[in-house]
Amino acid sequence: MIIIKQAVRLQEYLTQQAGRGLISGFVPTMGALHQGHLSLIAESRKHAGITVCSIFVNPTQFNDPKDFDKYPKTLEQDILLLEKAGTDILFLPSVNEMYPEGLTNLEHYDLGYLETILDGKFRPGHFQGVCQVMYRLLKLVDPDLLFMGQKDYQQCMVVKRLLAIMESKTKLVPSPTVRESSGLAMSSRNMRLSADQRSEAVDISKILQFIKENLRSQSLPALKADATEKLQQSGFRVDYVEICNADTLEPLESWDGKTPLVALVAAFLGDIRLIDNMILTEIGG
Ligand code: AMP
């Protein structure tokens, strides 16, 4: 694995490699890697001849500066994991390298309603930050395939919109959420949970399962209210429990029995914000 810290060096290297005519895959991350990230590397290696991973904790997507300061960093271990997973290139830029013009007066992207719902509503500016860094990374790497996790369902939709805005040739390949055996969705932020919080956090996936199992017996508002109450009783501060059209992410108050649905949850345990989601209407579900 080659580690590159400078954008120009990355571009030089990728230009050299382009002659080989390989399909390129890209896995952007913020580090503190776990099996969820590694599943994306594995997916890229399955479909692409050259896999680029980036680790960059992007300051512009943190609406809470404390969350940015406390974001876990495990770089040495990340490098070992990526090497072992067969990553070809690790891009490891500094903030200056990504934002040479500074962090103010940045681009604004028209994300439409995606920015006013769910995490767009509860984390103002978050998805603009995601787009600011993804635009830069995509311009640099210009991959054929972009691998991202369904764990961040809304982020996948935002990035799909960004790719359309950029008129990019890159195809987004969303990958299923990797979970602990308890059901807890793997997340870098889980590293900050105490042992007690880690077992409490499992309730988010249980609630999603509860929504899925009761979809046909309760109205959507009743299900959402029940789920919110259950989470609150387990000690969560709930940002939202929503049931949305899985294709458009439009929040729904009723279901016609046909529209594909996804349930999404964002909730705090202490000062740690966890998100998870589940497709409710997949075949066999
Ligand atoms: P992050 O480092 O949290 O920015 O995540 C980098 C990429 O890994 C994103 O595309 C995430 O959606 C994806 N990811 C994070 N957690 C998981 C997981 N548990 N399963 C699958 N993909 C994940």
Side-chain angles (χ1 to χ4, degrees), residues 27-37 39-40 54 56 61 71 147-153 155-156 175-179 184-189:
V27 179
T29 81
M30 298 206 298
L33 301 182
H34 49 67
Q35 287 303 320
H37 298 112
S39 75
L40 301 179
S54 62
F56 179 64
Q61 73 186 68
Y71 200 81
F147 296 89
M148 300 187 79
Q150 271 171 16
K151 156 87 171 30
D152 298 277
Y153 199 93
Q155 174 171 269
C156 282
S175 277
T177 303
V178 177
R179 297 176 181 280
L184 175 64
M186 289 193 185
S187 163
S188 304
R189 286 187 173 85

PDB file of all heavy atoms in Angstrom, residues 27-37 39-40 54 56 61 71 147-153 155-156 175-179 184-189, ligand 1:
ATOM      1  N   VAL A  27     -12.896   4.588  -1.576  1.00  0.00           N
ATOM      2  CA  VAL A  27     -13.588   4.452  -0.291  1.00  0.00           C
ATOM      3  C   VAL A  27     -13.165   5.612   0.614  1.00  0.00           C
ATOM      4  O   VAL A  27     -12.110   5.562   1.252  1.00  0.00           O
ATOM      5  CB  VAL A  27     -13.237   3.097   0.392  1.00  0.00           C
ATOM      6  CG1 VAL A  27     -13.951   2.972   1.733  1.00  0.00           C
ATOM      7  CG2 VAL A  27     -13.565   1.917  -0.518  1.00  0.00           C
ATOM      8  N   PRO A  28     -13.966   6.690   0.655  1.00  0.00           N
ATOM      9  CA  PRO A  28     -13.624   7.801   1.551  1.00  0.00           C
ATOM     10  C   PRO A  28     -14.039   7.488   2.995  1.00  0.00           C
ATOM     11  O   PRO A  28     -15.142   6.975   3.221  1.00  0.00           O
ATOM     12  CB  PRO A  28     -14.449   8.968   1.001  1.00  0.00           C
ATOM     13  CG  PRO A  28     -15.565   8.344   0.225  1.00  0.00           C
ATOM     14  CD  PRO A  28     -15.159   6.954  -0.163  1.00  0.00           C
ATOM     15  N   THR A  29     -13.164   7.786   3.952  1.00  0.00           N
ATOM     16  CA  THR A  29     -13.493   7.547   5.369  1.00  0.00           C
ATOM     17  C   THR A  29     -12.940   8.682   6.228  1.00  0.00           C
ATOM     18  O   THR A  29     -12.139   9.495   5.768  1.00  0.00           O
ATOM     19  CB  THR A  29     -12.867   6.229   5.910  1.00  0.00           C
ATOM     20  OG1 THR A  29     -11.495   6.477   6.256  1.00  0.00           O
ATOM     21  CG2 THR A  29     -12.951   5.094   4.918  1.00  0.00           C
ATOM     22  N   MET A  30     -13.351   8.635   7.513  1.00  0.00           N
ATOM     23  CA  MET A  30     -12.771   9.559   8.491  1.00  0.00           C
ATOM     24  C   MET A  30     -11.900   8.781   9.481  1.00  0.00           C
ATOM     25  O   MET A  30     -11.598   9.267  10.577  1.00  0.00           O
ATOM     26  CB  MET A  30     -13.877  10.330   9.211  1.00  0.00           C
ATOM     27  CG  MET A  30     -14.680  11.180   8.232  1.00  0.00           C
ATOM     28  SD  MET A  30     -15.463  12.607   8.975  1.00  0.00           S
ATOM     29  CE  MET A  30     -16.556  11.822  10.130  1.00  0.00           C
ATOM     30  N   GLY A  31     -11.514   7.568   9.115  1.00  0.00           N
ATOM     31  CA  GLY A  31     -10.610   6.788   9.970  1.00  0.00           C
ATOM     32  C   GLY A  31     -11.323   6.151  11.147  1.00  0.00           C
ATOM     33  O   GLY A  31     -12.549   6.045  11.150  1.00  0.00           O
ATOM     34  N   ALA A  32     -10.519   5.746  12.162  1.00  0.00           N
ATOM     35  CA  ALA A  32     -11.042   4.928  13.271  1.00  0.00           C
ATOM     36  C   ALA A  32     -11.803   3.744  12.659  1.00  0.00           C
ATOM     37  O   ALA A  32     -12.990   3.527  12.918  1.00  0.00           O
ATOM     38  CB  ALA A  32     -11.915   5.755  14.218  1.00  0.00           C
ATOM     39  N   LEU A  33     -11.070   3.020  11.852  1.00  0.00           N
ATOM     40  CA  LEU A  33     -11.700   2.035  10.966  1.00  0.00           C
ATOM     41  C   LEU A  33     -12.190   0.789  11.710  1.00  0.00           C
ATOM     42  O   LEU A  33     -11.621   0.389  12.718  1.00  0.00           O
ATOM     43  CB  LEU A  33     -10.705   1.614   9.871  1.00  0.00           C
ATOM     44  CG  LEU A  33     -10.183   2.751   8.992  1.00  0.00           C
ATOM     45  CD1 LEU A  33      -9.242   2.192   7.926  1.00  0.00           C
ATOM     46  CD2 LEU A  33     -11.311   3.532   8.345  1.00  0.00           C
ATOM     47  N   HIS A  34     -13.254   0.208  11.159  1.00  0.00           N
ATOM     48  CA  HIS A  34     -13.841  -1.024  11.699  1.00  0.00           C
ATOM     49  C   HIS A  34     -14.277  -1.895  10.531  1.00  0.00           C
ATOM     50  O   HIS A  34     -14.060  -1.525   9.357  1.00  0.00           O
ATOM     51  CB  HIS A  34     -15.008  -0.690  12.639  1.00  0.00           C
ATOM     52  CG  HIS A  34     -15.993   0.276  12.052  1.00  0.00           C
ATOM     53  ND1 HIS A  34     -16.800  -0.034  10.975  1.00  0.00           N
ATOM     54  CD2 HIS A  34     -16.283   1.566  12.361  1.00  0.00           C
ATOM     55  CE1 HIS A  34     -17.552   0.995  10.664  1.00  0.00           C
ATOM     56  NE2 HIS A  34     -17.250   1.997  11.480  1.00  0.00           N
ATOM     57  N   GLN A  35     -14.935  -3.000  10.839  1.00  0.00           N
ATOM     58  CA  GLN A  35     -15.309  -3.948   9.782  1.00  0.00           C
ATOM     59  C   GLN A  35     -16.243  -3.333   8.738  1.00  0.00           C
ATOM     60  O   GLN A  35     -16.266  -3.778   7.597  1.00  0.00           O
ATOM     61  CB  GLN A  35     -15.974  -5.203  10.382  1.00  0.00           C
ATOM     62  CG  GLN A  35     -15.006  -6.125  11.104  1.00  0.00           C
ATOM     63  CD  GLN A  35     -13.856  -6.573  10.199  1.00  0.00           C
ATOM     64  OE1 GLN A  35     -14.045  -6.856   9.018  1.00  0.00           O
ATOM     65  NE2 GLN A  35     -12.658  -6.603  10.748  1.00  0.00           N
ATOM     66  N   GLY A  36     -17.033  -2.332   9.135  1.00  0.00           N
ATOM     67  CA  GLY A  36     -17.917  -1.656   8.168  1.00  0.00           C
ATOM     68  C   GLY A  36     -17.088  -1.023   7.056  1.00  0.00           C
ATOM     69  O   GLY A  36     -17.368  -1.214   5.864  1.00  0.00           O
ATOM     70  N   HIS A  37     -16.047  -0.279   7.462  1.00  0.00           N
ATOM     71  CA  HIS A  37     -15.159   0.332   6.456  1.00  0.00           C
ATOM     72  C   HIS A  37     -14.476  -0.758   5.618  1.00  0.00           C
ATOM     73  O   HIS A  37     -14.370  -0.640   4.394  1.00  0.00           O
ATOM     74  CB  HIS A  37     -14.059   1.157   7.143  1.00  0.00           C
ATOM     75  CG  HIS A  37     -14.557   2.310   7.957  1.00  0.00           C
ATOM     76  ND1 HIS A  37     -14.460   2.347   9.331  1.00  0.00           N
ATOM     77  CD2 HIS A  37     -15.156   3.479   7.592  1.00  0.00           C
ATOM     78  CE1 HIS A  37     -14.953   3.493   9.779  1.00  0.00           C
ATOM     79  NE2 HIS A  37     -15.388   4.192   8.758  1.00  0.00           N
ATOM     80  N   SER A  39     -15.470  -3.656   4.904  1.00  0.00           N
ATOM     81  CA  SER A  39     -16.381  -4.298   3.938  1.00  0.00           C
ATOM     82  C   SER A  39     -16.433  -3.486   2.634  1.00  0.00           C
ATOM     83  O   SER A  39     -16.607  -4.038   1.552  1.00  0.00           O
ATOM     84  CB  SER A  39     -17.787  -4.464   4.534  1.00  0.00           C
ATOM     85  OG  SER A  39     -18.463  -3.226   4.560  1.00  0.00           O
ATOM     86  N   LEU A  40     -16.267  -2.159   2.763  1.00  0.00           N
ATOM     87  CA  LEU A  40     -16.266  -1.313   1.561  1.00  0.00           C
ATOM     88  C   LEU A  40     -14.980  -1.532   0.753  1.00  0.00           C
ATOM     89  O   LEU A  40     -15.007  -1.547  -0.478  1.00  0.00           O
ATOM     90  CB  LEU A  40     -16.395   0.168   1.939  1.00  0.00           C
ATOM     91  CG  LEU A  40     -17.649   0.573   2.723  1.00  0.00           C
ATOM     92  CD1 LEU A  40     -17.619   2.068   3.033  1.00  0.00           C
ATOM     93  CD2 LEU A  40     -18.915   0.241   1.949  1.00  0.00           C
ATOM     94  N   SER A  54      -9.380   6.997   1.480  1.00  0.00           N
ATOM     95  CA  SER A  54      -8.890   8.233   2.107  1.00  0.00           C
ATOM     96  C   SER A  54      -9.283   8.236   3.567  1.00  0.00           C
ATOM     97  O   SER A  54     -10.343   7.702   3.931  1.00  0.00           O
ATOM     98  CB  SER A  54      -9.446   9.479   1.397  1.00  0.00           C
ATOM     99  OG  SER A  54     -10.846   9.506   1.510  1.00  0.00           O
ATOM    100  N   PHE A  56      -9.693  11.201   6.295  1.00  0.00           N
ATOM    101  CA  PHE A  56      -9.655  12.651   6.508  1.00  0.00           C
ATOM    102  C   PHE A  56     -10.841  13.025   7.389  1.00  0.00           C
ATOM    103  O   PHE A  56     -11.995  12.814   7.000  1.00  0.00           O
ATOM    104  CB  PHE A  56      -9.746  13.389   5.164  1.00  0.00           C
ATOM    105  CG  PHE A  56      -9.745  14.891   5.317  1.00  0.00           C
ATOM    106  CD1 PHE A  56      -8.641  15.551   5.846  1.00  0.00           C
ATOM    107  CD2 PHE A  56     -10.848  15.641   4.939  1.00  0.00           C
ATOM    108  CE1 PHE A  56      -8.637  16.934   6.001  1.00  0.00           C
ATOM    109  CE2 PHE A  56     -10.863  17.025   5.086  1.00  0.00           C
ATOM    110  CZ  PHE A  56      -9.755  17.672   5.617  1.00  0.00           C
ATOM    111  N   GLN A  61     -17.800  19.312   8.143  1.00  0.00           N
ATOM    112  CA  GLN A  61     -19.067  18.590   8.269  1.00  0.00           C
ATOM    113  C   GLN A  61     -19.489  18.395   9.718  1.00  0.00           C
ATOM    114  O   GLN A  61     -20.515  17.774   9.987  1.00  0.00           O
ATOM    115  CB  GLN A  61     -19.018  17.254   7.531  1.00  0.00           C
ATOM    116  CG  GLN A  61     -18.185  16.177   8.185  1.00  0.00           C
ATOM    117  CD  GLN A  61     -18.090  14.951   7.298  1.00  0.00           C
ATOM    118  OE1 GLN A  61     -17.467  14.987   6.240  1.00  0.00           O
ATOM    119  NE2 GLN A  61     -18.705  13.856   7.702  1.00  0.00           N
ATOM    120  N   TYR A  71     -13.540  13.268  17.970  1.00  0.00           N
ATOM    121  CA  TYR A  71     -13.662  12.190  16.991  1.00  0.00           C
ATOM    122  C   TYR A  71     -12.476  11.237  17.150  1.00  0.00           C
ATOM    123  O   TYR A  71     -11.320  11.676  17.210  1.00  0.00           O
ATOM    124  CB  TYR A  71     -13.709  12.753  15.558  1.00  0.00           C
ATOM    125  CG  TYR A  71     -14.315  11.742  14.622  1.00  0.00           C
ATOM    126  CD1 TYR A  71     -15.690  11.594  14.539  1.00  0.00           C
ATOM    127  CD2 TYR A  71     -13.512  10.882  13.883  1.00  0.00           C
ATOM    128  CE1 TYR A  71     -16.248  10.622  13.722  1.00  0.00           C
ATOM    129  CE2 TYR A  71     -14.067   9.910  13.072  1.00  0.00           C
ATOM    130  CZ  TYR A  71     -15.432   9.786  13.001  1.00  0.00           C
ATOM    131  OH  TYR A  71     -15.991   8.818  12.208  1.00  0.00           O
ATOM    132  N   PHE A 147     -17.543   3.657  -3.229  1.00  0.00           N
ATOM    133  CA  PHE A 147     -18.183   2.723  -2.297  1.00  0.00           C
ATOM    134  C   PHE A 147     -18.517   3.437  -0.993  1.00  0.00           C
ATOM    135  O   PHE A 147     -17.624   3.964  -0.333  1.00  0.00           O
ATOM    136  CB  PHE A 147     -17.260   1.520  -2.054  1.00  0.00           C
ATOM    137  CG  PHE A 147     -17.046   0.720  -3.306  1.00  0.00           C
ATOM    138  CD1 PHE A 147     -16.003   1.029  -4.167  1.00  0.00           C
ATOM    139  CD2 PHE A 147     -17.925  -0.288  -3.662  1.00  0.00           C
ATOM    140  CE1 PHE A 147     -15.827   0.325  -5.350  1.00  0.00           C
ATOM    141  CE2 PHE A 147     -17.761  -0.992  -4.841  1.00  0.00           C
ATOM    142  CZ  PHE A 147     -16.711  -0.694  -5.687  1.00  0.00           C
ATOM    143  N   MET A 148     -19.813   3.429  -0.635  1.00  0.00           N
ATOM    144  CA  MET A 148     -20.250   4.084   0.602  1.00  0.00           C
ATOM    145  C   MET A 148     -21.261   3.197   1.317  1.00  0.00           C
ATOM    146  O   MET A 148     -21.910   2.345   0.697  1.00  0.00           O
ATOM    147  CB  MET A 148     -20.855   5.458   0.296  1.00  0.00           C
ATOM    148  CG  MET A 148     -19.852   6.384  -0.380  1.00  0.00           C
ATOM    149  SD  MET A 148     -20.437   8.068  -0.582  1.00  0.00           S
ATOM    150  CE  MET A 148     -20.183   8.718   1.048  1.00  0.00           C
ATOM    151  N   GLY A 149     -21.385   3.414   2.631  1.00  0.00           N
ATOM    152  CA  GLY A 149     -22.226   2.535   3.447  1.00  0.00           C
ATOM    153  C   GLY A 149     -23.659   3.024   3.562  1.00  0.00           C
ATOM    154  O   GLY A 149     -23.909   4.219   3.740  1.00  0.00           O
ATOM    155  N   GLN A 150     -24.592   2.076   3.512  1.00  0.00           N
ATOM    156  CA  GLN A 150     -26.015   2.410   3.727  1.00  0.00           C
ATOM    157  C   GLN A 150     -26.284   2.833   5.164  1.00  0.00           C
ATOM    158  O   GLN A 150     -27.330   3.386   5.460  1.00  0.00           O
ATOM    159  CB  GLN A 150     -26.878   1.198   3.405  1.00  0.00           C
ATOM    160  CG  GLN A 150     -27.276   1.148   1.949  1.00  0.00           C
ATOM    161  CD  GLN A 150     -27.948  -0.156   1.563  1.00  0.00           C
ATOM    162  OE1 GLN A 150     -28.381  -0.915   2.430  1.00  0.00           O
ATOM    163  NE2 GLN A 150     -28.019  -0.422   0.284  1.00  0.00           N
ATOM    164  N   LYS A 151     -25.320   2.557   6.054  1.00  0.00           N
ATOM    165  CA  LYS A 151     -25.411   3.036   7.440  1.00  0.00           C
ATOM    166  C   LYS A 151     -25.704   4.542   7.436  1.00  0.00           C
ATOM    167  O   LYS A 151     -26.429   5.051   8.267  1.00  0.00           O
ATOM    168  CB  LYS A 151     -24.077   2.722   8.135  1.00  0.00           C
ATOM    169  CG  LYS A 151     -23.711   3.563   9.306  1.00  0.00           C
ATOM    170  CD  LYS A 151     -24.290   2.995  10.547  1.00  0.00           C
ATOM    171  CE  LYS A 151     -23.816   3.619  11.823  1.00  0.00           C
ATOM    172  NZ  LYS A 151     -23.440   5.015  11.809  1.00  0.00           N
ATOM    173  N   ASP A 152     -25.095   5.251   6.474  1.00  0.00           N
ATOM    174  CA  ASP A 152     -25.337   6.685   6.315  1.00  0.00           C
ATOM    175  C   ASP A 152     -26.242   6.872   5.093  1.00  0.00           C
ATOM    176  O   ASP A 152     -25.811   7.334   4.038  1.00  0.00           O
ATOM    177  CB  ASP A 152     -24.002   7.414   6.165  1.00  0.00           C
ATOM    178  CG  ASP A 152     -23.133   7.241   7.394  1.00  0.00           C
ATOM    179  OD1 ASP A 152     -23.324   7.985   8.361  1.00  0.00           O
ATOM    180  OD2 ASP A 152     -22.285   6.328   7.409  1.00  0.00           O
ATOM    181  N   TYR A 153     -27.492   6.477   5.282  1.00  0.00           N
ATOM    182  CA  TYR A 153     -28.443   6.387   4.166  1.00  0.00           C
ATOM    183  C   TYR A 153     -28.638   7.733   3.478  1.00  0.00           C
ATOM    184  O   TYR A 153     -28.585   7.850   2.259  1.00  0.00           O
ATOM    185  CB  TYR A 153     -29.783   5.874   4.722  1.00  0.00           C
ATOM    186  CG  TYR A 153     -30.712   5.311   3.682  1.00  0.00           C
ATOM    187  CD1 TYR A 153     -30.694   3.954   3.402  1.00  0.00           C
ATOM    188  CD2 TYR A 153     -31.614   6.109   2.994  1.00  0.00           C
ATOM    189  CE1 TYR A 153     -31.547   3.412   2.448  1.00  0.00           C
ATOM    190  CE2 TYR A 153     -32.465   5.585   2.046  1.00  0.00           C
ATOM    191  CZ  TYR A 153     -32.432   4.233   1.781  1.00  0.00           C
ATOM    192  OH  TYR A 153     -33.272   3.699   0.835  1.00  0.00           O
ATOM    193  N   GLN A 155     -26.687  10.314   3.647  1.00  0.00           N
ATOM    194  CA  GLN A 155     -25.423  10.750   3.042  1.00  0.00           C
ATOM    195  C   GLN A 155     -25.272  10.155   1.639  1.00  0.00           C
ATOM    196  O   GLN A 155     -24.815  10.829   0.711  1.00  0.00           O
ATOM    197  CB  GLN A 155     -24.250  10.335   3.923  1.00  0.00           C
ATOM    198  CG  GLN A 155     -22.887  10.619   3.328  1.00  0.00           C
ATOM    199  CD  GLN A 155     -21.764  10.391   4.322  1.00  0.00           C
ATOM    200  OE1 GLN A 155     -21.372  11.305   5.030  1.00  0.00           O
ATOM    201  NE2 GLN A 155     -21.257   9.178   4.370  1.00  0.00           N
ATOM    202  N   CYS A 156     -25.661   8.873   1.476  1.00  0.00           N
ATOM    203  CA  CYS A 156     -25.586   8.249   0.153  1.00  0.00           C
ATOM    204  C   CYS A 156     -26.445   9.036  -0.836  1.00  0.00           C
ATOM    205  O   CYS A 156     -26.039   9.282  -1.973  1.00  0.00           O
ATOM    206  CB  CYS A 156     -26.083   6.799   0.195  1.00  0.00           C
ATOM    207  SG  CYS A 156     -24.869   5.645   0.865  1.00  0.00           S
ATOM    208  N   SER A 175     -23.307  -0.004   0.094  1.00  0.00           N
ATOM    209  CA  SER A 175     -23.075  -1.338   0.672  1.00  0.00           C
ATOM    210  C   SER A 175     -23.851  -1.487   1.978  1.00  0.00           C
ATOM    211  O   SER A 175     -23.989  -0.517   2.735  1.00  0.00           O
ATOM    212  CB  SER A 175     -21.601  -1.517   1.001  1.00  0.00           C
ATOM    213  OG  SER A 175     -20.909  -1.907  -0.143  1.00  0.00           O
ATOM    214  N   PRO A 176     -24.314  -2.719   2.267  1.00  0.00           N
ATOM    215  CA  PRO A 176     -25.128  -2.937   3.468  1.00  0.00           C
ATOM    216  C   PRO A 176     -24.377  -2.616   4.765  1.00  0.00           C
ATOM    217  O   PRO A 176     -23.145  -2.707   4.812  1.00  0.00           O
ATOM    218  CB  PRO A 176     -25.461  -4.439   3.428  1.00  0.00           C
ATOM    219  CG  PRO A 176     -24.922  -4.974   2.158  1.00  0.00           C
ATOM    220  CD  PRO A 176     -24.107  -3.935   1.482  1.00  0.00           C
ATOM    221  N   THR A 177     -25.145  -2.267   5.786  1.00  0.00           N
ATOM    222  CA  THR A 177     -24.572  -1.939   7.098  1.00  0.00           C
ATOM    223  C   THR A 177     -24.008  -3.186   7.772  1.00  0.00           C
ATOM    224  O   THR A 177     -24.693  -4.197   7.871  1.00  0.00           O
ATOM    225  CB  THR A 177     -25.676  -1.328   7.991  1.00  0.00           C
ATOM    226  OG1 THR A 177     -26.196  -0.184   7.316  1.00  0.00           O
ATOM    227  CG2 THR A 177     -25.147  -0.943   9.362  1.00  0.00           C
ATOM    228  N   VAL A 178     -22.766  -3.079   8.218  1.00  0.00           N
ATOM    229  CA  VAL A 178     -22.156  -4.178   8.974  1.00  0.00           C
ATOM    230  C   VAL A 178     -22.463  -3.959  10.459  1.00  0.00           C
ATOM    231  O   VAL A 178     -22.307  -2.840  10.970  1.00  0.00           O
ATOM    232  CB  VAL A 178     -20.632  -4.234   8.733  1.00  0.00           C
ATOM    233  CG1 VAL A 178     -19.992  -5.322   9.583  1.00  0.00           C
ATOM    234  CG2 VAL A 178     -20.347  -4.467   7.255  1.00  0.00           C
ATOM    235  N   ARG A 179     -22.939  -5.020  11.115  1.00  0.00           N
ATOM    236  CA  ARG A 179     -23.361  -4.919  12.508  1.00  0.00           C
ATOM    237  C   ARG A 179     -22.545  -5.839  13.413  1.00  0.00           C
ATOM    238  O   ARG A 179     -22.014  -6.846  12.955  1.00  0.00           O
ATOM    239  CB  ARG A 179     -24.848  -5.317  12.631  1.00  0.00           C
ATOM    240  CG  ARG A 179     -25.751  -4.388  11.863  1.00  0.00           C
ATOM    241  CD  ARG A 179     -27.212  -4.809  11.873  1.00  0.00           C
ATOM    242  NE  ARG A 179     -27.960  -3.847  11.082  1.00  0.00           N
ATOM    243  CZ  ARG A 179     -28.359  -2.655  11.525  1.00  0.00           C
ATOM    244  NH1 ARG A 179     -28.140  -2.331  12.791  1.00  0.00           N
ATOM    245  NH2 ARG A 179     -28.994  -1.820  10.735  1.00  0.00           N
ATOM    246  N   LEU A 184     -25.893  -4.048  16.967  1.00  0.00           N
ATOM    247  CA  LEU A 184     -25.417  -2.654  16.946  1.00  0.00           C
ATOM    248  C   LEU A 184     -24.672  -2.371  15.639  1.00  0.00           C
ATOM    249  O   LEU A 184     -23.746  -3.103  15.277  1.00  0.00           O
ATOM    250  CB  LEU A 184     -24.475  -2.428  18.146  1.00  0.00           C
ATOM    251  CG  LEU A 184     -23.774  -1.070  18.229  1.00  0.00           C
ATOM    252  CD1 LEU A 184     -24.787   0.061  18.422  1.00  0.00           C
ATOM    253  CD2 LEU A 184     -22.765  -1.061  19.377  1.00  0.00           C
ATOM    254  N   ALA A 185     -25.092  -1.312  14.952  1.00  0.00           N
ATOM    255  CA  ALA A 185     -24.404  -0.929  13.711  1.00  0.00           C
ATOM    256  C   ALA A 185     -23.001  -0.459  14.052  1.00  0.00           C
ATOM    257  O   ALA A 185     -22.819   0.365  14.961  1.00  0.00           O
ATOM    258  CB  ALA A 185     -25.178   0.194  13.018  1.00  0.00           C
ATOM    259  N   MET A 186     -22.002  -0.982  13.356  1.00  0.00           N
ATOM    260  CA  MET A 186     -20.634  -0.555  13.638  1.00  0.00           C
ATOM    261  C   MET A 186     -20.478   0.916  13.277  1.00  0.00           C
ATOM    262  O   MET A 186     -21.029   1.386  12.279  1.00  0.00           O
ATOM    263  CB  MET A 186     -19.651  -1.401  12.842  1.00  0.00           C
ATOM    264  CG  MET A 186     -19.574  -2.805  13.370  1.00  0.00           C
ATOM    265  SD  MET A 186     -18.171  -3.662  12.684  1.00  0.00           S
ATOM    266  CE  MET A 186     -18.465  -5.287  13.374  1.00  0.00           C
ATOM    267  N   SER A 187     -19.741   1.634  14.123  1.00  0.00           N
ATOM    268  CA  SER A 187     -19.522   3.055  13.906  1.00  0.00           C
ATOM    269  C   SER A 187     -18.256   3.463  14.654  1.00  0.00           C
ATOM    270  O   SER A 187     -17.992   2.948  15.739  1.00  0.00           O
ATOM    271  CB  SER A 187     -20.719   3.843  14.456  1.00  0.00           C
ATOM    272  OG  SER A 187     -20.372   5.198  14.618  1.00  0.00           O
ATOM    273  N   SER A 188     -17.505   4.384  14.074  1.00  0.00           N
ATOM    274  CA  SER A 188     -16.301   4.871  14.763  1.00  0.00           C
ATOM    275  C   SER A 188     -16.683   5.472  16.108  1.00  0.00           C
ATOM    276  O   SER A 188     -15.930   5.366  17.080  1.00  0.00           O
ATOM    277  CB  SER A 188     -15.604   5.932  13.908  1.00  0.00           C
ATOM    278  OG  SER A 188     -15.321   5.400  12.636  1.00  0.00           O
ATOM    279  N   ARG A 189     -17.850   6.098  16.165  1.00  0.00           N
ATOM    280  CA  ARG A 189     -18.266   6.744  17.420  1.00  0.00           C
ATOM    281  C   ARG A 189     -18.535   5.732  18.532  1.00  0.00           C
ATOM    282  O   ARG A 189     -18.539   6.092  19.704  1.00  0.00           O
ATOM    283  CB  ARG A 189     -19.502   7.619  17.187  1.00  0.00           C
ATOM    284  CG  ARG A 189     -19.181   8.900  16.445  1.00  0.00           C
ATOM    285  CD  ARG A 189     -20.394   9.820  16.374  1.00  0.00           C
ATOM    286  NE  ARG A 189     -20.062  11.114  15.809  1.00  0.00           N
ATOM    287  CZ  ARG A 189     -20.024  11.376  14.510  1.00  0.00           C
ATOM    288  NH1 ARG A 189     -20.298  10.423  13.643  1.00  0.00           N
ATOM    289  NH2 ARG A 189     -19.710  12.581  14.074  1.00  0.00           N
TER     290      ARG A 189
HETATM  291  P1  AMP B   1     -17.018   7.404   8.168  1.00  0.00           P
HETATM  292  O1  AMP B   1     -15.575   7.051   8.423  1.00  0.00           O
HETATM  293  O2  AMP B   1     -17.908   7.248   9.349  1.00  0.00           O
HETATM  294  O3  AMP B   1     -17.159   8.722   7.459  1.00  0.00           O
HETATM  295  O4  AMP B   1     -17.536   6.320   7.137  1.00  0.00           O
HETATM  296  C1  AMP B   1     -16.866   6.079   5.927  1.00  0.00           C
HETATM  297  C2  AMP B   1     -17.723   5.172   5.083  1.00  0.00           C
HETATM  298  O5  AMP B   1     -17.945   3.935   5.773  1.00  0.00           O
HETATM  299  C3  AMP B   1     -19.120   5.755   4.807  1.00  0.00           C
HETATM  300  O6  AMP B   1     -19.480   5.455   3.472  1.00  0.00           O
HETATM  301  C4  AMP B   1     -19.992   5.032   5.797  1.00  0.00           C
HETATM  302  O7  AMP B   1     -21.338   4.933   5.388  1.00  0.00           O
HETATM  303  C5  AMP B   1     -19.328   3.664   5.818  1.00  0.00           C
HETATM  304  N1  AMP B   1     -19.692   2.942   7.044  1.00  0.00           N
HETATM  305  C6  AMP B   1     -19.613   3.400   8.314  1.00  0.00           C
HETATM  306  N2  AMP B   1     -20.093   2.470   9.171  1.00  0.00           N
HETATM  307  C7  AMP B   1     -20.477   1.405   8.418  1.00  0.00           C
HETATM  308  C8  AMP B   1     -21.060   0.128   8.704  1.00  0.00           C
HETATM  309  N3  AMP B   1     -21.343  -0.238   9.946  1.00  0.00           N
HETATM  310  N4  AMP B   1     -21.332  -0.709   7.680  1.00  0.00           N
HETATM  311  C9  AMP B   1     -21.043  -0.342   6.388  1.00  0.00           C
HETATM  312  N5  AMP B   1     -20.495   0.843   6.054  1.00  0.00           N
HETATM  313  C10 AMP B   1     -20.218   1.704   7.049  1.00  0.00           C
END
